Amino acid sequence: MSTKMENLSTDIVNTGVQNAGPYAGSLNFSIRVRRGLPNFLNSVNLKYVKLGYQYLISHGLYLVIAPFVALIIGAPIGKLIIWNDFNFHYNLSTAILSLGLVYLFLYFYIDLLLPRSTYLIDFACYRPTKELKVSKEEFIDMARKSGNFNEKTLSFQEKALKLSGIGDETCLPKTLFQPGFEKSIKQSREEAEMVVFGAVDDLLEATKINPEDISILIVNCSTLNTTPSLSAMVINHYKLKQKVQSFNLGGMGCAAGTVAIDLAQDMLNVYPGSYALVVSTEIVSHSWYTGKDVDMLLPNCFLRMGAAAMLLSNRRLDRWKAKYQLKQVVRTHKGMDNKSFKSIYLKEDEEGKLGISVSKDVLEVGGHAVKANITILGPLVLPFAEQIQFFTTLLLNKNSSTRPYIPNFKQAFDHFCILATSKKVLDEFEKNLELTKEYMEASRKTLERFGNTSSSSVWYELAYLEANKRMKRGDKVWQITFGSGIKCSSAVWKALKNVERPKKSPWYDDQENSN
């Protein structure tokens, strides 16, 4: 018998009043046991803690170099300020030469040795029109009338929607509910153009940047991969320059948005002084499933229309107009494990219908990916005192069954943007990281209003914080995403100023946006 403990969650279900027997007239309850997310910090793997400190030490190399640079620069300056020995006619040339050397040293150190920071100039999220809104009741009603689903699959979707945390204003293409609906590249392209161009148009309007100034383009979409690519579609529509460095990320799931940000940062380091446009989306009409396999019906219930566009730069002068600075990106991947690899899987069912299969193990394996990710992230973001307490407790209780000290991530971050996957997942995050309702507000409101927009979800959450004037100068926000693979990625942003309420936002109604 296996001694491995499974992490299970229990629900008490009221099954009604008993009609017969010795307990007639009494309320009847049953206990339902489900797999849940593993406790993120109940068993911490030391190799991930070690990896986090390796990241910290590698980034601290520049601090070690700094004193030597200061010594080199200080030597000629010190000679200049010895006024007793100062001879104007003799030392003028020396002064000019010394200042020139100081300038060269500063240029070499700042421009060539110090890594350039990555700035988020601004971002925009697509706001679907009100004609695309589909309430939960309308969803089931239209699905029934379409004839594409039997009663069993309709019942499953209805139950999933009730427990999803999704509200009645999320958006879907109504063509999905046409009788005999079948996927087509034409329809998927039209949806892609609608959401992608909608987000990019709003971004260009907000930043006033000329599309020809964009040197790097990264588009991510998991299921729709066309020829020409979606990135080529953007290049063609906005007439980007011929030398643009273009990338199209496919099949990477809900975590792809953070992967795209990481790639943009790397590309900006290769091409310093450039602008990078990142577009994150998922095309619902291409992931829609009309078969009978219940494991493949969950994406129907959660995924909704959405897209986000972000403009990044590593120009030093852009710090003064940028909203945020990228502080850390940490990525972990569990694809070497077969259970993780197949937990979210695009496949054909027995009838040959294509859809995304979501395994019952997805919460368990996803939790392990998240745990690895935040264990690496901890040393990079937690206050020193918090790290000492966590690390000391970890070493002392290494062979103990007692619960280790849980770091307080609320001391590291002012805001949390957790991928709005489902109510169940958000509940587990709230419990495991001991977060308050206020910290979870942006994620829960996004899930309710927009549903799971996949890789763009965390940007709708950041837009929520901005619309409610929550982002103040110096605030740090943690975006955490997870998706097929299984992979988990974290991005940490620091607000460079008090972010004013934007003129246009997906959280405003049409009248507010028009004003």
Side-chain angles (χ1 to χ4, degrees):
M1 181 181 293
S2 174
T3 59
K4 185 179 178 181
M5 293 292 293
E6 286 191 83
N7 187 45
L8 304 174
S9 63
T10 58
D11 295 326
I12 300 176
V13 182
N14 184 351
T15 56
V17 178
Q18 190 164 329
N19 296 322
Y23 301 105
S26 301
L27 287 174
N28 221 17
F29 295 90
S30 64
I31 298 177
R32 180 168 52 202
V33 181
R34 299 176 176 175
R35 283 190 178 91
L37 286 175
N39 192 311
F40 296 154
L41 300 162
N42 193 42
S43 56
V44 178
N45 195 323
L46 275 173
K47 72 176 181 180
Y48 295 121
V49 178
K50 181 181 177 182
L51 187 57
Y53 281 103
Q54 286 175 350
Y55 273 102
L56 187 64
I57 292 169
S58 65
H59 283 79
L61 178 63
Y62 303 102
L63 296 176
V64 176
I65 296 173
F68 295 101
V69 176
L71 184 64
I72 294 170
I73 294 173
I77 293 177
K79 186 176 181 180
L80 286 176
I81 61 175
I82 302 175
W83 297 99
N84 292 334
D85 297 331
F86 187 84
N87 184 310
F88 182 83
H89 298 287
Y90 174 78
N91 284 325
L92 180 60
S93 59
T94 306
I96 294 172
L97 178 61
S98 298
L99 290 173
L101 287 173
V102 169
Y103 173 80
L104 286 175
F105 274 119
L106 284 174
Y107 174 81
F108 178 76
Y109 181 68
I110 294 174
D111 201 64
L112 301 180
L113 284 181
L114 280 181
R116 287 175 176 260
S117 296
T118 300
Y119 302 111
L120 176 63
I121 306 298
D122 209 342
F123 70 97
C125 299
Y126 170 71
R127 187 179 191 276
T129 60
K130 59 183 180 181
E131 291 78 15
L132 295 169
K133 290 181 181 179
V134 178
S135 68
K136 295 192 287 290
E137 185 178 346
E138 287 175 317
F139 182 103
I140 297 301
D141 185 53
M142 289 191 293
R144 179 173 282 109
K145 290 178 180 177
S146 71
N148 298 328
F149 304 97
N150 58 31
E151 284 303 317
K152 180 182 177 182
T153 55
L154 284 169
S155 176
F156 176 84
Q157 290 180 90
E158 186 174 17
K159 183 179 179 182
L161 283 169
K162 285 181 179 178
L163 300 173
S164 66
I166 290 175
D168 288 324
E169 295 191 358
T170 61
C171 296
L172 285 168
K174 298 293 179 66
T175 53
L176 299 178
F177 300 98
Q178 291 177 348
F181 169 81
E182 291 186 5
K183 300 172 188 176
S184 71
I185 290 294
K186 179 178 181 295
Q187 185 177 43
S188 297
R189 278 186 182 275
E190 289 174 352
E191 183 188 339
E193 291 174 357
M194 181 193 305
V195 299
V196 170
F197 296 163
V200 176
D201 284 348
D202 287 346
L203 178 65
L204 295 179
E205 181 184 347
T207 59
K208 308 300 180 187
I209 188 174
N210 188 331
E212 292 183 357
D213 292 334
I214 295 170
S215 300
I216 300 161
L217 171 67
I218 302 169
V219 179
N220 71 266
C221 180
S222 189
T223 56
L224 177 63
N225 292 286
T226 62
T227 302
S229 65
L230 294 180
S231 59
M233 178 187 80
V234 174
I235 292 170
N236 176 261
H237 184 79
Y238 293 99
K239 309 304 177 189
L240 303 188
K241 59 188 176 185
Q242 294 183 31
K243 295 193 298 181
V244 64
Q245 302 296 312
S246 171
F247 300 87
N248 200 89
L249 305 181
M252 303 193 77
C254 300
T258 316
V259 175
I261 293 293
D262 191 30
L263 176 58
Q265 178 177 233
D266 290 342
M267 291 303 299
L268 286 169
N269 288 332
V270 176
Y271 298 95
S274 302
Y275 286 113
L277 173 63
V278 177
V279 182
S280 295
T281 189
E282 195 58 67
I283 306 307
V284 182
S285 56
H286 208 71
S287 61
W288 190 254
Y289 175 67
T290 56
K292 300 174 182 176
D293 191 332
V294 293
D295 288 343
M296 299 169 73
L297 284 168
L298 280 176
N300 287 10
C301 304
F302 292 95
L303 290 179
R304 295 294 185 267
M305 296 175 71
M310 292 69 69
L311 182 66
L312 293 95
S313 167
N314 66 357
R315 301 184 186 202
R316 300 195 191 279
L317 290 177
D318 281 341
R319 179 184 180 89
W320 307 109
K321 66 177 180 180
K323 285 185 173 181
Y324 304 95
Q325 179 184 356
L326 183 61
K327 302 300 291 182
Q328 283 93 19
V329 177
V330 174
R331 294 166 52 190
T332 51
H333 207 298
K334 292 287 186 177
M336 70 293 293
D337 173 61
N338 284 335
K339 186 187 286 187
S340 294
F341 178 68
K342 294 189 175 181
S343 59
I344 302 175
Y345 205 81
L346 182 66
K347 68 175 187 178
E348 294 176 336
D349 65 10
E350 294 179 352
E351 298 177 349
K353 293 184 176 181
L354 193 66
I356 301 172
S357 174
V358 180
S359 165
K360 293 180 175 63
D361 298 320
V362 70
L363 281 177
E364 179 187 353
V365 297
H368 290 304
V370 171
K371 183 172 70 173
N373 187 271
I374 65 177
T375 305
I376 297 171
L377 181 66
L380 301 176
V381 298
L382 288 168
F384 186 69
E386 193 74 14
Q387 292 187 47
I388 291 294
Q389 190 169 358
F390 165 68
F391 200 67
T392 303
T393 308
L394 182 66
L395 291 176
L396 293 176
N397 295 337
K398 186 176 179 181
N399 300 316
S400 173
S401 59
T402 59
R403 188 169 183 256
Y405 173 74
I406 297 177
N408 184 3
F409 280 91
K410 297 187 290 293
Q411 291 189 20
F413 305 114
D414 302 282
H415 310 281
F416 292 76
C417 292
I418 301 165
L419 185 75
T421 305
S422 68
K423 181 179 181 298
K424 173 68 175 174
V425 170
L426 295 182
D427 287 346
E428 291 289 332
F429 266 96
E430 182 178 338
K431 180 181 70 175
N432 276 277
L433 295 180
E434 299 180 353
L435 301 178
T436 64
K437 302 295 182 184
E438 183 181 357
Y439 285 113
M440 298 299 299
E441 185 179 325
S443 299
R444 292 194 187 279
K445 290 291 186 181
T446 298
L447 179 63
E448 179 184 359
R449 172 61 185 84
F450 294 101
N452 181 355
T453 60
S454 189
S455 57
S456 63
S457 175
V458 290
W459 294 103
Y460 284 87
E461 294 169 26
L462 186 55
Y464 176 85
L465 295 171
E466 287 192 356
N468 288 277
K469 301 176 72 173
R470 304 275 180 84
M471 297 304 303
K472 305 299 180 184
R473 180 185 176 88
D475 281 3
K476 286 187 177 180
V477 57
W478 178 17
Q479 292 180 327
I480 182 166
T481 61
F482 32 91
S484 59
I486 288 285
K487 67 179 74 67
C488 179
S489 302
S490 289
V492 179
W493 301 91
K494 180 181 179 181
L496 297 176
K497 55 188 175 184
N498 293 336
V499 179
E500 299 296 330
R501 197 169 189 258
K503 294 180 180 179
K504 198 168 187 178
S505 171
W507 292 95
Y508 305 160
D509 60 29
D510 294 330
Q511 186 176 1
E512 282 182 286
N513 277 329
S514 63
N515 293 334

